[in-house]
Every structure is written in C-alpha cells, then in structure tokens.
Amino acid sequence: MNNGEITIEKNTASVADIVRGRFAVTDKNVYALYKPLFKDALGVCVLDSGEQSKTLATAEKILLQMAGNSLDRKSVAVAVGGGVVGDLTGFCASVYMRGIDFVNVPTTLLAAVDSSVGGKTGVNLDRLKNLVGAFHKPKHVHIRTDFFATLPERELICGLGEAYKTALLDRGCMKAWNALPEKTDSFTDFSAVVEACVRFKKSVTDSDYRESGKRKILNLGHTVAHAIEYLDGYERSHGEYVLMGLIAESGMAAVSGKIRRDTYESIRRGCLSIIGESGERKVRFGFSSSQISNVAMHDKKNSGGRISLIISEDFCQREYLLDKYEFTKEMEMWKSLL
C-alpha cells in the first residue's frame, strides 16, 4: 500500500507532465478548459460532467478504454477532475487487472479537500451514494489551486461546505478556516485551508484505512446529507447537502441532549453563512422526517440495522446509533422545537 504523497502548488501547467505517457480520465468541462494539458497523454477518456456519470456503465466505458490502450499492471491511470472523476478512476484502477496505480489531480475545491485523499473510490447504485466501491489509495495527489479560479460560485460553496465540516473536527483546520478573508470576486486562493484539510484527513485515513474506527468522524453531517441528496435528485452540490446535514444532525443531537444548544447554534450559524437560509429550509421542510429516515436506513455506514451519526463538540467526536423510530423522533423534535 503506497503512502499517497500529496503536493500542493498553484500553477496548473505541471499537470501536462503528470499526464504525459499515461492514460487520463477527465470530464467535458475540464477538457474544454484545459485540453492542451492532455496532448501527450497515452489516451484520454472524457466523461459527461456531473453525478449522473457515476455509474457502473461509465466504469465499464473507462475499463474498456484502458484495455483498448493496452494498459498493463505497471500502468498508471490519472484522474484530472472533480470527485466524480476521481472516484471513478480510482474504482476502475482498483479492479483493472486486479489493481493498478492511479494518480489524482483534483480540479475542484471539494475534491481537493475531501475525496482526493483517503482512498475511497466507487460508483452510485440506483442513486444510492457510493454503494459499490473499493478502498484504493492514489499513488500521488497533485493539488493545483489555480484550477479553482475557473470554478462557478456554486462549486466554491460546495468545497467550502466540506472544508467547514473538517474545521469542526480539528483545531488546526478551524484556525485556517477562521483566517479566510471575506468573500470577494477574487476569492480563489484557498491554499492554507486546503493544506490544513488534506493533511488532517490524511492523518485520519492513514490511521484507519478501512473505516473501522477513527475514520468515521469524517462522516460528520453526511448521513442526513446523503439522504437529502438522494431525495432531492442531486439538484444541489454535495457540499451544500453536507451543510444541510450538519445543521440537521447537530440540531438532533442538541434536542436529545447529546451536545449543548450553543454548540448547535454555532454550527448552524457557520453553515448558514455559506448556504443561507434556503439550505436550512430545504432540510427542515423539503422532505418529511420519515422520508429522510427511510433513505438513511440504507446508508453504508450503518451498523446492526441502526443509523450511524457522528457528533462533534469542542473538537471531540463520537458515533451514536439510532433505530429508524428514534432517528425520526429526534428529527421531528428538532424541526418542531428549533
């Protein structure tokens, strides 16, 4: 198992050297903006952009192109794109010839602070998030922050949602988060936050590669987030759903006495500063508590038929499990009392 080395720089030009002579996977948006970076690649598989591409059918397309380009067990695949491209490429690398190396070049803020590190790969199954996948660490993660300059505002918000979640877990990440300037039109250099988040996530995932213990803390906010994502048909970005999940899960923990009310209010304010009140309205009133619990029952993090939730307070985390009735009751309490 490799150590998943990470480099963080600004300039995207060096990506051409990373891709040279290797098989690359990207999506149409990235390819349209950065096509010259791929001119010396062994081959390029260009995917449709978005979550709808994260399927077994797309994985088969990539695998067939890998075979068509005569990749062998010593070949290296390179993912150049957001989380969907990285997850798909990593998954295909994990099963092609029973496993080849891959390199991850995240082009979105979300992928840089989250999915590019840790070795989780996979595809969705009937819109159920990442139900099919494998643990397969990238050989190297190359983060180039100049990619973020071409992201639309919604994609920046998406990455900020995951970065804020990580800041709730670690003092160093929160320090970097608090040092961010007020949002401006030139708000594109997130180097300090990215570095803090990826270093923290790497330390957690290296200590618990297959998520049997400490790594579960990275799921903070994600149980409700994945349920809302599914019910909403992925209309918003993943980071926005994570922020919704953070509001809901911390609210549920507050009404049941698992965390202080002031902790919940602090988390809520932090989330609303990024997504605004429309995000909170979506999670509180967009779907019923029973709808959310029905989907949450299928979350892959669950144990013994009970729904897994993570709570964080004063940078200390723990997992607690609720059956479907308890989950629905706590969500109803949060919706009606807060």
Side-chain angles (χ1 to χ4, degrees), residues 39-69:
K39 66 183 180 65
D40 294 322
L42 173 67
V44 185
C45 181
V46 182
L47 310 177
D48 289 336
S49 303
E51 190 76 18
Q52 69 274 8
S53 288
K54 201 172 174 182
T55 65
L56 286 169
T58 305
E60 183 180 22
K61 172 184 175 180
I62 297 170
L63 290 165
L64 287 170
Q65 289 197 29
M66 285 180 167
N69 282 275

Side-chain angles (χ1 to χ4, degrees), residues 244-261 263-265 267-268 280 311 320 330-331 333-335 337-338:
M244 295 179 204
L246 287 170
I247 293 173
E249 292 184 21
S250 60
M252 292 164 65
V255 295
S256 59
K258 297 180 181 71
I259 62 172
R260 302 186 307 270
R261 291 287 183 98
T263 297
Y264 161 68
E265 290 296 344
I267 293 173
R268 177 176 175 269
E280 183 181 42
I311 55 177
Y320 71 103
E330 284 196 9
M331 178 157 281
M333 290 170 61
W334 165 62
K335 287 184 175 183
L337 298 178
L338 296 173

Side-chain angles (χ1 to χ4, degrees), residues 185-204:
D185 290 339
S186 60
F187 193 38
T188 56
D189 189 353
F190 301 93
S191 297
V193 167
V194 169
E195 179 152 12
C197 288
V198 297
R199 300 298 179 193
F200 173 73
K201 181 167 183 179
K202 186 175 188 302
S203 71
V204 172

Side-chain angles (χ1 to χ4, degrees), residues 61-111:
K61 172 184 175 180
I62 297 170
L63 290 165
L64 287 170
Q65 289 197 29
M66 285 180 167
N69 282 275
S70 302
L71 270 65
D72 58 30
R73 286 184 172 179
K74 294 184 179 180
S75 297
V76 178
V78 183
V80 184
V84 170
V85 170
D87 282 6
L88 278 163
T89 307
F91 175 68
C92 291
S94 75
V95 296
Y96 184 80
M97 292 192 173
R98 296 189 174 91
I100 64 171
D101 283 335
F102 86 106
V103 169
N104 209 334
V105 184
T107 61
T108 66
L109 181 59
L110 173 65

